Amino acid sequence: MKFIAIVFVMVFAVVAFAAPLDNSQNAQILRNDFDNIGVDGYKFAYETSDGISRQEQAQVKNIGTENEAISVSGTVSWVADDGQTYTLTYVADENGFQPTGAHLPVA
């Protein structure tokens, strides 16, 4: 279970720092959905009036085994200062954090 907590915190931190901060105090929440599926996972989505949207879902794989792991996937989009919309899609699981996006360099 420590692994699940570490992955969740890591994903949250990376995504939080990936999106630029908008100092607009006037953004309104347009949509906010959350579904706690219990110990098996969760999913949520939100959208704000300043162009930020995010959706994420997670599920525990191999429950009760030595290979138990959480698999998290999601997408976050935002409008940058240059007016362009950026989208980051990610998966975080037993193979690590795997982000993709047109704005990210490709190895």
Side-chain angles (χ1 to χ4, degrees):
M1 282 310 225
K2 287 182 187 178
F3 177 76
I4 292 171
I6 291 170
V7 169
F8 181 78
V9 170
M10 187 173 68
V11 168
F12 183 79
V14 169
V15 172
F17 289 116
L21 297 176
D22 181 5
N23 293 328
S24 171
Q25 298 295 318
N26 299 321
Q28 301 295 314
I29 297 171
L30 303 176
R31 181 172 61 101
N32 186 20
D33 302 317
F34 183 79
D35 185 11
N36 183 353
I37 314 168
V39 297
D40 294 338
Y42 65 87
K43 62 182 175 178
F44 69 83
Y46 63 82
E47 182 178 352
T48 62
S49 61
D50 58 354
I52 297 171
S53 65
R54 181 172 174 203
Q55 64 84 26
E56 181 176 294
Q57 57 277 335
Q59 71 178 59
V60 180
K61 301 185 326 186
N62 304 315
I63 295 176
T65 70
E66 185 177 296
N67 297 322
E68 182 174 286
I70 190 166
S71 178
V72 179
S73 61
T75 302
V76 60
S77 297
W78 66 93
V79 178
D81 290 339
D82 62 5
Q84 188 171 0
T85 299
Y86 292 90
T87 301
L88 177 74
T89 302
Y90 57 91
V91 173
D93 58 17
E94 64 274 10
N95 298 314
F97 183 68
Q98 305 145 55
T100 58
H103 63 288
L104 298 177
V106 179

